[in-house]
Amino acid sequence: MSVTELLNRADGEQSFSFEVLPPLKGTGTESLFNTIARLREFDPQYINITTHHSEYVYRELDNGLLERQRIRRRPGTIAIAAAIQQRFGIPVIPHVICSGATKESIEYELLDLQFLGISNLLLLRGDKAKDDRVFTPTKGGHRHTTGLIRQVQQFNDGFFFDGTPIKCPGPRFSFGVACYPEKHEEAPNLERDMRYLKEKQDLGAEYAVTQLFYDNRRYFEFVEKARKMGITIPIIPGLKPFAKLSQLTVVPRTFHCDIPEELAREIVKCQTDDDARELGVEWTTQQCRELYANGVSNIHFYTVSAVQSVCEVARRIRS
């Protein structure tokens, strides 16, 4: 069942979905499965699993020099998605990204997902490498999400990326994309960024999930502009409760979203991270209530370092 079918089946009922990280290499699945068990209490529509391809790290050699190496800190997205689906019976949506991937490796991901019966994807460009000034595609990969979408659609139509026919095509993939109420950091302006979203819709994207935001006004204005531009797909709001004092400066820098002045004034009054966490839960709870009151049916939570807060928000909404 596709995400849009899940949303339609809810028929306006208030629902949640969650995003989780694969475990760090070598740490096992116990912690992640414990998180899923906690989140399952809130009957999530689906669970997203992020993808992290290799990244550069520096290791000191015996001679004191530094060597640049590529490693994968969080492998196993596809396997984790299959394990969650089998163990918990919750629909899963793994991320498939351009960053660090070739067209060939993406094709193998699609084959593996098809073999496992996973047909919902979130297609993303992915972040640029930390040391790179601009995003640099892997040789033989995609520079933009639109290229990735075209490859998935070509696979859906029964052809490998090199044009070879697939002898036994499987079920088609459904997919969503990301969107940015406060624009992508690399976009020159919001209007151009939204034109890219319209292009992704025209290529086959069935829904979009927003980057996190703390000001609902930005979301409502974004949706209104999107509809005027002919963007008709569901736009699912993505939220993450504020949880630490340090996030007052870290969040805007990392996620390129503003902290509303009303929230910022309250944050600077907090004395401890516990104070900030409680403030974040209350703020996000009010965000959810306002979103639901204005016709939103599904809210997507980013749970990294915020599982406790997300669970508390969900409890308050459901109480």
Side-chain angles (χ1 to χ4, degrees):
M1 188 176 294
S2 70
V3 169
T4 50
E5 289 172 333
L6 287 169
L7 296 177
N8 290 335
R9 187 179 67 171
D11 194 25
E13 180 182 349
Q14 297 176 358
S15 61
F16 304 122
S17 56
F18 302 103
E19 179 177 289
V20 298
L21 288 175
L24 284 167
K25 181 179 178 180
T27 60
T29 59
E30 182 178 1
S31 177
L32 174 61
F33 287 165
N34 286 340
T35 294
I36 302 297
R38 294 176 66 185
L39 297 174
R40 185 169 58 171
E41 172 188 346
F42 308 105
D43 190 25
Q45 292 273 46
Y46 58 87
I47 290 179
N48 273 12
I49 303 96
T50 66
T51 293
H52 298 260
H53 282 294
S54 55
E55 59 188 87
Y56 286 115
V57 297
Y58 292 90
R59 297 191 185 280
E60 186 173 356
L61 304 178
D62 292 339
N63 61 8
L65 298 177
L66 295 177
E67 181 181 55
R68 195 186 194 203
Q69 299 178 350
R70 291 188 71 97
I71 66 168
R72 286 194 69 179
R73 294 182 183 275
R74 295 182 183 273
T77 292
I78 293 174
I80 285 296
I84 291 172
Q85 186 165 268
Q86 180 181 40
R87 186 182 181 112
F88 297 99
I90 301 172
V92 292
I93 303 178
H95 293 187
V96 176
I97 65 176
C98 303
S99 179
T102 65
K103 295 175 186 177
E104 184 177 34
S105 66
I106 290 167
E107 187 166 271
Y108 288 138
E109 288 181 50
L110 298 178
L111 287 165
D112 285 343
L113 289 162
Q114 202 170 65
F115 293 156
L116 291 165
I118 297 172
S119 59
N120 285 306
L121 313 173
L122 189 68
L123 303 184
L124 307 165
R125 189 199 70 177
D127 296 330
K128 63 180 183 290
K130 292 179 181 178
D131 296 333
D132 289 347
R133 186 176 60 83
V134 296
F135 178 81
T136 304
T138 298
K139 185 178 180 181
H142 297 291
R143 180 176 294 276
H144 302 292
T145 308
T146 48
L148 175 58
I149 291 174
R150 290 187 176 96
Q151 180 177 352
V152 172
Q153 291 291 54
Q154 182 171 316
F155 190 92
N156 280 341
D157 291 338
F159 296 92
F160 291 120
F161 77 92
D162 63 359
T164 305
I166 301 173
K167 291 183 179 180
C168 299
R172 296 179 68 87
F173 288 103
S174 299
F175 57 88
V177 294
C179 62
Y180 304 85
E182 298 172 69
K183 90 172 184 64
H184 190 277
E185 61 172 308
E186 298 172 24
N189 53 63
L190 182 59
E191 288 69 25
R192 183 171 292 272
D193 198 25
M194 295 180 76
R195 285 204 291 272
Y196 296 145
L197 177 58
K198 176 65 163 56
E199 182 181 4
K200 294 171 188 176
Q201 172 188 272
D202 294 344
L203 289 171
E206 297 182 8
Y207 66 96
V209 183
T210 76
Q211 174 64 285
L212 61 87
F213 60 89
Y214 293 91
D215 186 346
N216 283 356
R217 178 177 53 86
R218 297 291 185 93
Y219 171 79
F220 294 132
E221 290 175 352
F222 180 81
V223 172
E224 182 180 5
K225 288 180 181 178
R227 300 310 182 220
K228 289 179 179 178
M229 291 181 64
I231 299 170
T232 59
I233 56 177
I235 298 176
I236 301 170
L239 303 181
K240 183 176 181 178
F242 190 90
K244 294 182 178 180
L245 292 170
S246 60
Q247 290 177 350
L248 180 60
T249 54
V250 171
V251 165
R253 185 170 65 248
T254 303
F255 298 103
H256 308 282
C257 64
D258 285 345
I259 301 292
E261 178 57 24
E262 180 184 354
L263 176 57
R265 282 199 306 268
E266 296 304 314
I267 292 170
V268 297
K269 296 177 185 177
C270 294
Q271 300 297 311
T272 66
D273 282 344
D274 286 341
D275 294 340
R277 186 177 300 108
E278 175 56 30
L279 173 62
V281 167
E282 180 57 32
W283 184 271
T284 305
T285 300
Q286 294 305 318
Q287 276 190 276
C288 291
R289 288 174 174 156
E290 183 179 28
L291 289 165
Y292 285 139
N294 282 271
V296 170
S297 60
N298 177 268
I299 292 175
H300 187 69
F301 286 108
Y302 298 103
T303 69
V304 179
S305 303
V307 174
Q308 179 182 341
S309 295
V310 167
C311 288
E312 181 59 30
V313 170
R315 288 191 190 96
R316 294 186 187 187
I317 294 297
R318 290 285 174 84
S319 62

